[in-house]
């Protein structure tokens, strides 16, 4: 209801302000400091905080909509609460799931958020997707305590990281540092549903070599039977900086999770008992390894070389049977699915300044993924055993990818122009070792190559000393996924040959800091998507993946932040913020005539986050409110099922508030805690064909950190 939305939005500005201002006023006034003026011809870059520099690590960010959020201002929170991690990144929609094995995010209504297929995630510029194209799903994110900064680039990734229609999120993590002091920390927290989390870190540096190691563990029982999880993550890093202007690093990330899947509910079941368990034996397990060798060098005053060589391994294992509710009989069988992803990749970028103030960047990315897939149908719904006699199908999948790209930043006084071009070559090699019984088609044997050329143009104009106007036009495309070309369960797999989906991204915005402490960024955007790939039901038992139609996504995105203490000579900050997006999305063409004019799934008309963040040398406090409009969960804009089995067409609007705080008792000891979903909102934001995934109700956590 409207008054609830107003209350939730205003709460962030009402609860904390008086108390925090009182705390700050009680502090002794800061001593006057001499003002240091720096003069010269160099422009301020970036002009405003929370924006990316014009050029960094061989990538041009000028003329693109970017946001870089330092998480240091926020008190400790424990992942998987992505609402808090993304609180200051406007427009990102989190489709919430309580277990940490699967992450669901989308942006501007571009596709189903399931496993974040339409948002490209990176860690220190290394891709986190299972496979960038064939299976672009996210089952791993770095632990929140290791994330130092989150970089958010819009506009089809700006041709920086790949061809994706959606944006890129790059987690910049704490790594080994030769300049680090020897030390470490141990952190422990406890909470609702037997939640426990620990984060442990040790670091050392002598100016030439640096070492860092971390270990994380999270576990909880969950409010429902079989909604428990266990996560273990480790990191080991080595850095060598014994050569002037060179850093050589090796980083090893290990991750393992085991999570229960309690089952999704229809609308009547959610209303009657949101804690109902329908799949008491379904599990999903993820094992992930990422090994990265990095080389960063400054070649004189006007050139840099940045390289990444990585190996990634992921094992995605799930055991899933049909839902049932006692006293109904248990299902007779369960599907045991395993997909492995073995990737070797290279990313190399070179940047050189030339002329008066221009910068040329060139680079290449290449990777190869070998991804075998099997399914067993077991008569034991409690067992992970994969017996040879239970094998349903066995498929080999290989992707080989190469890209070459060039971008030049031209600067003409206050005007900057950045044209970009990217050439892509993707080869799919798919082969069926064992075909599913009962299918009459020929075995899958696909060897297909796609070549694409993309162009983009960014522009930025600095207005005075505190404002800039930016614009970007970027081509993008979405390569075929494995199942688009060769679904092992489909009778019509031989006919599954949809073309790539294409898009044009347009953005026009202004960034400004009209008064000290106030920063705003407002933009208009439009995305035109052509030839979306969708599943069309062709008979009772089979579907065909086709280029089904087009959609248009347009609207306004904004971010306003103000530091109430900016004019005071104080180390403290009281940051008030509000950000969000207003979205108008529509299906403009479809092979299914009834879809034309509909709103695409998961495209709420508004998504707003607002709050307060306070920090000084002792306290950190964050109060964050998230407001999301109602939305459809499928393109038909219709319910699924009938009667008591119906899943309603609309996900209702909801408002969620989170409160976190931490207090430094002494140099070595810190206490922290929080209340997630402070107002105990009863809601959900994740729906699939088999039902509703309840979002977490009110939960609590508290803990301590010891540093040495």
């Amino acid at each position: 209801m409207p008054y609830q939305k107003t209350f939730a939005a205003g709460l962030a500005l009402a609860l904390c302000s008086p108390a925090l201002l009182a705390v700050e006023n009680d502090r002794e006034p800061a001593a006057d400091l001499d003002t240091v003026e720096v003069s010269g011809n160099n422009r301020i870059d970036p002009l405003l905080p929370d924006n990316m520099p014009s050029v960094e690590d061989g990538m041009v960010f000028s003329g693109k909509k970017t946001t870089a959020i330092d998480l240091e201002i926020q008190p400790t929170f424990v992942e998987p609460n992505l609402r808090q991690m993304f609180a200051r990144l406007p427009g990102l929609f989190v489709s919430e799931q309580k277990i940490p094995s699967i992450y669901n995010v989308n942006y501007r209504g571009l596709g189903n958020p399931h496993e974040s297929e339409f948002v490209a995630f990176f860690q220190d510029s290394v891709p986190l997707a299972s496979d960038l194209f064939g299976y672009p799903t996210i089952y791993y994110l770095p632990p929140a305590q290791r994330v130092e900064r989150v970089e958010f680039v819009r506009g089809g990734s700006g041709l920086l990281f790949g061809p994706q229609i959606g944006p890129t999120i790059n987690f910049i993590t704490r790594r080994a540092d030769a300049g680090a002091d020897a030390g470490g920390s141990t952190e422990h927290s406890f909470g609702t549903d037997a939640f426990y989390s620990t984060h442990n870190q040790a670091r050392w540096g002598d100016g030439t070599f640096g070492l860092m190691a971390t270990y994380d563990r999270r576990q909880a029982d969950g409010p429902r039977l079989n909604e428990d999880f266990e996560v273990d993550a480790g990191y080991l890093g080595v850095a060598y900086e014994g050569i002037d202007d060179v850093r050589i690093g090796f980083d090893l990330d290990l991750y393992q999770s085991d999570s229960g899947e309690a089952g999704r509910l229809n609308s009547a079941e959610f209303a009657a008992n949101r804690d109902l368990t329908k799949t008491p034996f379904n599990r999903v397990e993820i094992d992930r390894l990422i090994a990265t060798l990095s080389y960063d060098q400054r070649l004189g005053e006007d050139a840099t070389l940045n390289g990444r060589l990585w190996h990634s391994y992921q094992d995605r294992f799930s055991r899933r049977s049909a839902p049932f509710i006692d006293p109904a009989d248990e299902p007779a069988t369960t599907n045991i699915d395993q997909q492995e992803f073995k990737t070797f990749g290279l990313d190399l970028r070179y940047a050189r300044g030339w002329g008066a103030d221009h910068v040329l960047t060139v680079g290449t990315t290449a990777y190869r993924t070998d991804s075998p897939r099997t399914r067993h149908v077991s008569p034991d719904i409690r067992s992970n055993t994969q017996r040879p006699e239970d094998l349903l199908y066995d498929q080999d999948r290989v992707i080989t990818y190469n890209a070459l790209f060039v971008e030049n930043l031209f600067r003409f006084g206050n005007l900057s122009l950045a044209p970009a071009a990217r050439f892509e070559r993707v080869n799919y090699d798919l082969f069926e070792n064992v075909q599913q019984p009962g299918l009459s088609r020929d075995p899958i044997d696909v060897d297909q190559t796609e070549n694409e050329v993309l162009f983009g143009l960014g522009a930025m104009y600095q207005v005075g000393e505190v404002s800039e106007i930016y614009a970007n036009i970027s081509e993008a495309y979405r390569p075929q996924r494995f199942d688009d070309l060769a679904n092992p369960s489909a009778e019509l797999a031989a006919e599954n040959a949809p073309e790539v989906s294409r898009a044009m991204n347009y953005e026009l915005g202004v960034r400004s800091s009209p008064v000290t402490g106030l920063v705003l960024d407002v933009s208009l955007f439009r995305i035109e998507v052509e030839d979306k790939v969708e599943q069309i039901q062709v008979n009772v038992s089979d579907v065909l993946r086709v280029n089904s139609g087009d959609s248009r996504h347009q609207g306004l995105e904004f971010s306003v932040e103000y530091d109430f203490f900016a004019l005071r000579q104080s180390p403290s900050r009281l940051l008030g913020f509000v950000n969000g997006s207003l979205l108008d999305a529509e299906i403009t063409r479809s092979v299914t005539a009834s879809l034309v004019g509909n709103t695409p799934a998961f495209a709420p008309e508004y998504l707003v986050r607002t709050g307060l963040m306070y920090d000084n040398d002792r306290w950190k406090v964050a109060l964050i409110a998230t407001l999301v409009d109602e939305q459809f969960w499928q393109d038909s804009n219709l319910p699924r099922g009938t009667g008591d089995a119906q899943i309603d067409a609309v996900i209702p609007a909801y408002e969620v508030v989170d409160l976190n705080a931490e207090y430094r008792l002494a140099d070595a000891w810190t206490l922290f805690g929080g209340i997630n979903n402070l107002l105990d909102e009863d809601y959900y934001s994740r729906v699939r064909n088999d039902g509703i995934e309840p979002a977490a109700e009110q939960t609590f956590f508290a803990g301590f950190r010891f540093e040495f």
Side-chain angles (χ1 to χ4, degrees):
M1 298 178 66
Y3 75 88
Q4 291 175 318
K5 297 179 177 62
T6 303
F7 173 71
L11 186 65
L13 298 177
L15 282 181
C16 284
S17 297
L20 295 178
L21 287 170
V23 170
E24 180 64 20
N25 288 334
D26 287 341
R27 294 170 54 85
E28 294 182 4
D32 291 337
L33 299 176
D34 293 335
T35 300
V36 178
E37 294 186 2
V38 178
S39 61
N41 296 324
N42 292 333
R43 61 171 55 81
I44 299 175
D45 191 8
L47 180 66
L48 302 175
D50 298 340
N51 291 125
M52 301 289 292
S54 296
V55 182
E56 186 176 54
D57 294 339
M59 293 178 279
V60 175
F61 294 102
S62 180
K64 303 173 178 68
K65 183 170 180 119
T66 65
T67 308
I69 296 300
D70 185 351
L71 294 184
E72 283 294 320
I73 188 175
Q74 294 183 229
T76 298
F77 64 91
V78 181
E79 187 264 329
N81 193 332
L82 296 185
R83 288 195 310 270
Q84 296 183 46
M85 182 175 286
F86 298 155
R88 295 167 61 200
L89 300 179
L92 272 179
F93 170 68
V94 178
S95 181
E96 297 177 41
Q97 182 165 319
K98 284 176 279 188
I99 62 173
S101 299
I102 298 174
Y103 300 90
N104 311 291
V105 180
N106 85 341
Y107 185 63
R108 296 179 176 176
L110 292 171
N112 192 312
H114 178 59
E115 298 173 351
S116 304
E117 285 197 22
F118 292 84
V119 177
F121 282 89
F122 288 73
Q123 175 181 301
D124 300 313
S125 300
V126 173
L128 297 182
S130 306
D131 179 87
L132 271 173
F133 302 143
Y135 200 77
T137 53
I138 298 296
Y139 298 105
Y140 158 80
L141 292 181
Q145 293 93 331
R146 265 197 65 212
V147 178
E148 187 174 83
R149 187 171 75 254
V150 183
E151 299 176 348
F152 188 27
V153 183
R154 288 74 144 187
S157 301
L159 304 186
L160 293 171
F161 294 95
Q164 297 90 346
I165 296 172
T168 290
I169 295 174
N170 189 23
F171 296 104
I172 304 301
T173 63
R174 295 175 178 87
R175 300 185 294 164
D177 181 0
D181 296 327
S185 64
T186 182
E187 174 184 302
H188 303 266
S189 56
F190 308 84
T192 308
D193 298 319
F195 173 79
Y196 170 69
S197 172
T198 181
H199 174 77
N200 305 275
Q201 178 190 131
R203 62 186 180 276
W204 171 87
D206 68 354
T208 300
F209 287 95
L211 299 174
M212 179 174 169
T214 68
Y215 169 70
D216 302 84
R217 180 174 176 84
R218 283 168 281 137
Q219 63 185 55
D221 289 343
R224 295 196 283 171
L225 177 67
N226 196 40
E227 207 167 41
D228 61 294
F229 64 82
E230 294 181 355
V231 176
D232 290 280
Y235 164 78
L236 176 64
V238 181
Y240 174 71
E241 300 177 34
I243 304 173
D244 289 345
D245 298 323
V246 172
R247 182 190 185 276
I248 302 172
F250 175 76
D251 302 285
L252 177 66
D253 288 274
L254 299 170
Y255 176 89
Q256 183 179 54
S257 69
D258 181 1
S259 304
E261 295 185 319
R264 301 186 183 97
L265 313 177
N266 61 47
S267 295
E269 290 168 339
F270 178 82
N273 180 13
R274 71 191 322 273
D275 291 334
L276 178 67
T277 294
K278 298 173 68 176
T279 54
F281 307 114
N282 289 5
R283 309 291 297 184
V284 58
E285 300 177 14
I286 305 297
D287 288 280
R288 186 72 185 258
L289 176 150
I290 305 174
T292 306
L293 180 65
S294 58
Y295 182 89
D296 300 283
Q297 181 178 7
R298 176 172 291 278
L299 305 169
E301 293 297 322
D302 58 357
T304 60
L305 179 66
N306 304 92
R308 301 287 183 271
L309 182 67
W310 76 87
H311 167 60
S312 173
Y313 172 80
Q314 178 177 286
D315 184 353
R316 180 205 176 279
F317 184 95
S318 64
R319 183 183 73 229
R320 288 169 173 161
S321 60
F324 72 98
I325 303 173
D326 285 332
D329 292 337
E330 294 182 355
T333 61
T334 189
N335 289 333
I336 299 177
D337 284 283
Q338 185 172 18
Q339 299 185 63
E340 294 180 271
F341 302 87
K342 307 166 191 175
T343 302
F344 289 91
L346 166 71
D347 186 271
L348 188 64
R349 299 170 187 264
Y350 172 77
R352 173 172 289 278
W354 64 277
D357 202 13
H358 313 311
V359 182
L360 172 68
T361 66
V362 296
T364 181
T365 298
Y367 80 88
R368 178 183 174 89
T369 297
D370 184 0
S371 178
R373 178 185 184 184
T374 61
R375 172 174 291 180
H376 293 73
V377 180
S378 171
D380 187 349
I381 68 173
R382 296 168 176 80
S383 173
N384 287 347
T385 302
Q386 298 167 293
R387 303 186 307 172
E389 60 266 34
D390 296 333
L391 181 63
L392 183 66
Y393 59 73
D394 182 344
Q395 186 183 25
D396 285 338
R397 309 175 301 186
V398 176
I399 279 189
T400 305
Y401 169 75
N402 304 93
L404 299 172
F405 40 88
V406 59
E407 186 167 10
N408 198 100
L409 174 60
F410 296 96
R411 288 166 168 156
F412 308 100
N414 289 341
L415 175 65
S416 298
L417 296 175
R422 187 178 183 101
F423 170 74
E424 304 249 344
R425 182 179 178 87
V426 187
N427 174 260
Y428 299 83
D429 189 356
L430 312 174
F431 183 77
E432 200 164 41
N433 299 305
V434 176
Q435 181 174 305
Q436 179 172 322
L439 298 178
S440 60
R441 59 168 171 78
D442 293 333
I444 293 170
D445 187 0
V446 175
D447 187 349
Q448 176 176 316
T449 299
E450 301 283 347
N451 295 299
E452 298 287 340
V453 179
L454 301 173
F455 297 97
L457 177 64
M460 190 274 288
Y461 185 78
Q462 185 170 329
V463 182
E465 298 296 324
V466 296
S467 302
E468 58 188 21
I469 299 170
Y470 59 89
N472 186 266
I473 302 174
S474 296
E475 289 186 303
Y477 77 98
R478 177 176 170 80
Q480 297 98 329
R481 293 163 292 178
F482 289 135
D483 281 357
D484 293 338
L485 297 175
N487 186 339
S489 298
E491 180 66 67
L492 301 174
E495 301 177 36
N496 260 11
E499 298 295 325
V500 300
S501 302
R502 303 181 186 279
M504 288 294 299
N505 284 267
Y506 305 90
E507 192 113 26
L508 175 64
V510 59
R511 295 184 278 249
S512 182
S513 180
V515 299
T516 302
L518 176 64
V519 178
L520 59 87
D521 187 337
V522 181
S523 67
L524 297 172
F525 64 86
R526 182 181 176 95
I527 306 171
E528 298 173 350
V529 182
E530 297 180 352
D531 296 328
K532 296 196 302 179
V533 176
E534 294 185 10
Q535 300 183 70
I536 303 297
Q537 196 80 34
V538 295
N539 55 49
V540 174
S541 60
D542 213 350
V543 297
L544 186 65
R545 294 172 187 255
V546 301
N547 297 108
S548 63
D550 307 337
S551 62
R552 181 262 300 142
H553 309 251
Q554 62 187 14
L556 180 144
E557 186 172 286
F558 63 92
S559 174
V560 181
E561 298 191 351
Y562 181 63
D563 182 356
F564 291 92
F565 296 160
L567 296 177
R568 307 177 60 169
Q569 294 180 347
S570 166
S572 301
R573 285 178 291 182
L574 177 58
L575 183 70
F577 68 90
V578 57
N579 63 64
S581 65
L582 305 178
L583 176 64
D584 171 28
E586 182 180 344
I587 297 172
T588 56
R589 181 179 67 86
S590 176
V591 297
T592 305
S594 61
L595 298 184
V596 176
N598 283 6
T599 300
F602 297 99
E605 290 188 3
Y606 68 79
L607 192 165
V608 177
R609 295 187 181 94
T610 184
L612 284 171
M613 292 182 181
Y614 171 79
D615 78 312
N616 63 18
D617 56 355
R618 291 287 183 184
W619 281 97
K620 290 184 180 182
V621 182
L623 184 66
I624 301 166
T626 301
L627 298 84
V628 182
D629 191 20
E630 66 181 20
Q631 57 194 295
F632 297 104
W633 66 272
Q634 54 183 357
D635 288 350
S636 69
N637 297 177
L638 297 173
R640 183 178 179 86
T642 58
D644 291 340
Q646 178 173 298
I647 305 169
D648 293 343
V650 174
I651 300 174
Y654 57 91
E655 302 83 32
V656 187
V657 179
D658 299 305
L659 174 63
N660 285 353
E662 69 175 59
Y663 176 68
R664 182 178 288 274
L665 285 170
D667 289 343
W669 291 95
T670 300
L671 301 179
F672 59 86
I675 307 175
N676 300 319
N677 194 357
L678 179 67
L679 303 181
D680 202 15
E681 178 86 343
D682 187 10
Y683 74 104
Y684 59 90
S685 58
R686 175 168 162 79
V687 184
R688 303 207 73 207
N689 286 338
D690 56 347
I692 294 165
E693 188 87 38
E697 297 179 287
Q698 186 182 83
T699 60
F700 303 81
F701 72 93
F704 67 90
R705 179 168 56 253
F706 175 71
E707 299 173 72
F708 54 89

